[in-house]
Amino acid sequence: MTDIWINMGPQHPMTHGLFNLRVRVDGEIIVDANPLLGYLHRGVEKLCERRDYTQIIPLMDRLCYVSSLTWSHAYCLAAEELMEIEIPERAKYLRVIALELQRIASHLMWLAAFGPDVGMFTAFLYAMREREYILDMLQMMSGARMNQNYPRIGGVRNDVPPEFTDKCLKVMDYFDGKRKQYERLFDDSAIFLMRTQGVGYLSKEDAMDLGVTGQTLRGSNVPIDMRTHDPYEVYDQLDWEVQVEKDGDCYSRYKVRMNEMWESTKIIRGALKKMPKGPVRVKPPKRPKGEAFRRTEDARGEALIYIVGQGETSPYRVKVRSPVFANLRAAPVILKGNTYADLLAIMGSIDVCIGETDK
Amino acid sequence: MKGTEVAQAVKEKFKDLVSNVSFPRDRVVRLYVPRESILPFCKFLRDELSCEHLSLVTAVDWPENFECVYHITSYLEEYMVELHVKIPKDDPKVDSLSPVWKGADFAEWEAYDMMGITFVGHPDLRRILLPEDYLYYPLRKDFKG
C-alpha cells in the first residue's frame, strides 16, 4: 500500500479564495487531510492598530467580500459596547434588514458555488439571478453592491429612500415565489441527493468539541444561533425560528442554509413592518478606554470581535474570530473515511471563505 | 445561569486563585487566574459548569506582560466566561487547552503565529498563517513592519 498526498490548491476550483488542502489518500479513501492557510494574509489585526475607530469599518468590510456587511456590523457592535453608547431604534431595524439581505446574498453565492461542485450548473445560474435583486436592495440602502461600508459606530450611515419598503417587499415576494422552483431543482433530483445524503457525517459531540459554529453546527442537530443565544439589535423582538437539521451530513448543512434564506425573508418583512421613524445615528465618543467583545451570527457562523481601547484614537488591540477558521479545523475530521470523489461536496458544504480565515 | 452565579461557583472551588472578577454584561463574567492553574480551571468549567465551546484565544501585548484572553461559551446555560491569564515577557509559555477542547489547537496556532506565545502540550505547534521560516511575531508592539 502506498500513501499519496494530493495538493488541492492553492488554485483549484474547489477553493473559494486561495488555500491548499493537502489530502492523503489510500486508493479512493481519504485517510488524512491538512489545510494550509496564509495565502491571503493581509495583517488586518495589525492594520487596525494604526487606524482610528471609524477608519476600521471599511477595512472590516474586506474581511469577506461575500458577506462584508456582517463583519463591519460585528465590529461596530463591539465598538459600541466599548464606548457604551445606545443606538437609535430605527438604526437597529435598518441594520437587521441590511444584515438579513446580506445573509441571503451570501447564501445564494454559496449555492452558486456549491451547485457546480456537485454537478448542477443550473444552481449557479438560478442563484446568481436572484442574488442580483438582493444586491439591488443593498445598493438602494447603502449605495454599493458589495463592500457596502454601511454600519457606523452609533447607527448606520444613512436612512433608506422612501420607496425602499415597497421595493424590498416586492423583492421578498419574488424570492419567496422561487422557493418551490429551488426545492424541485434540488430536493427532487436523485443525483443531488446521492451526492449529499449520508456524505460527510459530523457527529453532534465532535461538532461541539471542535468549536464548529454556524450551519455546520446546526446541521449536526445543535440548535445554537447567536441571534437568539446572545441576542443583539432587535432579533429577539421579531418572529422567526432557528433552523436545525438532524443528520449531520452535507444534505443537512445544505438544508439549514436553504431554510435560513426563507427565514431571513420573514425577518425582513417583520422588520419593515415594525420599523419606527426617527434618527439613524448618534455621535460616538472619540477616545474610549477599556475592553469589550460582542458576538454575532455571521453568514457562516459565530463571529466574535474583541477590542481593547487605551484612551487613544486607535484601538490597542482588535481580535477577529473567524467562524470558517474554526470550521476548517473540523474538515479533516469530516473528510476521514470518505471517498476522494466526495471531497468537493463536503468542502462545499462547509462554505469556506478565505478572506476572513487568513485575515 | 447569570454571571454572578458562575463567579460564585468558581470561587467556591478555586478560592483566592480567582481575582479581579467583573461583569461586563448580565450573562458574562470576566476574571483572572494564574498561569499555573489554567488547565484545572478550564477542566472544571467544562465538566462542572457545562462550558462546551471555546470561542476564541486572543493574545495581547501589554507593556509589562503578555496576556491571553479566552472566551469560553456555555451553550446549555447561555453564559460566557472571559478568562484572562497574565504571561511574563521573558517566559512566554502557557499550558495548551487542547486536552480540554479539541478545537483549541487552531485558535492557539494563531496566537503562537502572531504573538509568539508557546502553548505547552499543543499537538503540533507551527506557523500557520506566516511562512515557516519567518523570524518575527508581527502583532507584538515592538514589531514595526
Side-chain angles (χ1 to χ4, degrees):
Chain A
M1 186 191 88
T2 47
D3 284 347
I4 304 171
W5 280 95
I6 301 174
N7 282 303
M8 308 275 286
Q11 293 186 23
H12 187 275
M14 176 206 69
T15 61
H16 312 289
L18 293 176
F19 86 108
N20 186 1
L21 184 73
R22 298 192 72 220
V23 196
R24 204 176 106 194
V25 289
D26 172 16
E28 275 289 301
I29 307 293
I30 298 169
V31 244
D32 201 1
N34 184 10
L36 298 180
L37 303 168
Y39 293 93
L40 265 174
H41 179 63
R42 291 148 294 171
V44 167
E45 287 171 10
K46 188 78 178 175
L47 286 170
C48 289
E49 293 171 14
R50 307 272 176 89
R51 276 158 174 71
D52 68 32
Y53 283 93
T54 319
Q55 284 173 327
I56 295 173
I57 302 168
L59 192 62
M60 286 291 162
D61 266 344
R62 269 83 183 159
L63 273 177
C64 175
Y65 75 99
V66 185
S67 94
S68 45
L69 224 148
T70 51
W71 281 105
S72 42
H73 166 259
Y75 165 74
C76 287
L77 208 61
E80 280 153 14
E81 178 93 5
L82 177 68
M83 296 169 181
E84 293 171 354
I85 48 175
E86 183 69 26
I87 68 166
E89 199 67 9
R90 187 176 173 84
K92 287 185 185 172
Y93 279 91
L94 284 174
R95 278 181 177 187
V96 166
I97 294 166
L99 285 172
E100 292 310 311
L101 285 170
Q102 181 71 86
R103 193 181 313 275
I104 298 174
S106 169
H107 284 357
L108 283 172
M109 184 76 211
W110 162 80
L111 191 64
F114 183 59
D117 278 353
V118 292
M120 295 187 101
F121 194 72
T122 324
F124 176 83
L125 300 171
Y126 276 25
M128 282 309 203
R129 179 186 66 194
E130 262 72 85
R131 180 169 174 264
E132 211 51 45
Y133 288 106
I134 306 289
L135 291 184
D136 281 350
M137 286 299 102
L138 280 171
Q139 188 173 21
M140 206 167 174
M141 286 184 103
S142 63
R145 288 171 75 245
M146 297 168 81
N147 296 330
Q148 288 90 352
N149 192 10
Y150 185 56
R152 285 288 182 277
I153 303 170
V156 292
R157 189 181 59 203
N158 54 276
D159 207 338
V160 287
E163 69 272 20
F164 177 79
T165 310
D166 289 341
K167 285 232 166 108
C168 192
L169 282 173
K170 224 171 167 179
V171 170
M172 290 303 117
D173 285 342
Y174 167 79
F175 189 59
D176 276 345
K178 289 285 173 202
R179 179 171 190 168
K180 202 146 219 158
Q181 200 177 12
Y182 276 79
E183 281 174 351
R184 274 175 59 199
L185 177 64
F186 291 105
D187 299 346
D188 293 353
S189 158
I191 298 170
F192 180 75
L193 295 182
M194 271 162 72
R195 291 216 58 182
T196 51
Q197 276 181 339
V199 172
Y201 175 71
L202 180 67
S203 71
K204 188 177 175 176
E205 291 72 30
D206 270 352
M208 302 240 273
D209 206 19
L210 289 166
V212 165
T213 53
Q215 291 83 7
T216 319
L217 183 69
R218 290 197 287 280
S220 294
N221 201 13
V222 186
I224 296 293
D225 189 313
M226 287 305 146
R227 289 175 284 176
T228 53
H229 182 72
D230 187 4
Y232 52 97
E233 310 301 0
V234 287
Y235 279 112
D236 47 348
Q237 294 164 32
L238 296 167
D239 180 32
W240 65 283
E241 277 162 26
V242 176
Q243 298 301 316
V244 198
E245 291 289 326
K246 289 196 173 63
D247 297 338
D249 55 3
C250 290
Y251 185 75
S252 292
R253 296 190 273 276
Y254 146 81
K255 202 72 199 158
V256 170
R257 282 203 184 84
M258 293 301 275
N259 289 342
E260 252 181 36
M261 288 201 285
W262 318 121
E263 213 60 33
S264 290
T265 63
K266 246 164 95 181
I267 299 177
I268 293 171
R269 281 173 203 278
L272 282 171
K273 207 167 158 189
K274 276 192 172 176
M275 187 160 61
K277 289 208 161 32
V280 295
R281 200 170 162 187
V282 291
K283 207 172 157 55
K286 276 232 160 57
R287 293 167 184 268
K289 199 165 188 291
E291 53 191 295
F293 75 91
R294 271 323 279 263
R295 295 181 284 175
T296 62
E297 185 72 26
D298 182 58
R300 287 166 182 75
E302 176 198 3
L304 192 153
I305 295 203
Y306 174 67
I307 309 181
V308 183
Q310 276 297 60
E312 302 287 330
T313 49
S314 345
Y316 188 77
R317 176 86 167 90
V318 176
K319 174 76 187 172
V320 179
R321 182 206 195 265
S322 152
V324 181
F325 193 70
N327 288 1
L328 268 181
R329 170 69 183 78
V333 180
I334 307 176
L335 285 172
K336 241 171 252 175
N338 282 286
T339 57
Y340 187 71
D342 287 334
L343 190 141
L344 284 180
I346 295 168
M347 292 310 288
S349 72
I350 296 177
D351 194 8
V352 181
C353 175
I354 294 301
E356 62 179 74
T357 312
D358 285 356
K359 294 189 258 292
Chain B
M1 220 181 203
K2 291 211 165 162
T4 42
E5 297 171 48
V6 181
Q8 209 179 353
V10 291
K11 265 189 182 159
E12 266 170 32
K13 169 90 179 163
F14 289 92
K15 312 246 158 31
D16 305 341
L17 290 175
V18 181
S19 56
N20 290 359
V21 183
S22 59
F23 304 100
R25 286 204 298 279
D26 200 25
R27 286 177 174 276
V28 179
V29 56
R30 175 179 292 155
L31 43 85
Y32 284 72
V33 295
R35 174 162 68 141
E36 294 74 29
S37 51
I38 175 164
L39 212 50
F41 186 82
C42 286
K43 276 199 178 121
F44 175 74
L45 282 184
R46 184 197 61 184
D47 297 336
E48 308 292 326
L49 295 174
S50 78
C51 286
E52 304 98 342
H53 176 52
L54 175 70
S55 288
L56 182 66
V57 180
T58 314
V60 186
D61 182 9
W62 293 107
E64 321 77 63
N65 55 280
F66 290 119
E67 197 174 279
C68 262
V69 186
Y70 299 86
H71 288 93
I72 303 161
T73 310
S74 168
Y75 285 147
L76 192 68
E77 304 280 352
E78 297 194 347
Y79 68 88
M80 203 162 189
V81 179
E82 189 181 299
L83 176 66
H84 292 243
V85 178
K86 286 203 166 113
I87 300 164
K89 282 236 158 159
D90 49 357
D91 180 32
K93 276 189 191 141
V94 68
D95 283 335
S96 168
L97 291 184
S98 42
V100 189
W101 293 285
K102 236 192 269 171
D105 57 354
F106 235 61
E108 285 172 349
W109 254 329
E110 214 190 327
Y112 167 73
D113 201 1
M114 294 293 152
M115 205 64 96
I117 289 167
T118 308
F119 291 91
V120 181
H122 190 288
D124 175 23
L125 202 62
R126 59 179 162 87
R127 293 282 192 168
I128 183 157
L129 294 179
L130 297 170
E132 290 282 328
D133 53 353
Y134 200 66
L135 295 174
Y136 311 100
Y137 298 109
L139 276 180
R140 288 189 181 176
K141 290 285 172 188
D142 55 9
F143 178 81
K144 294 294 176 204

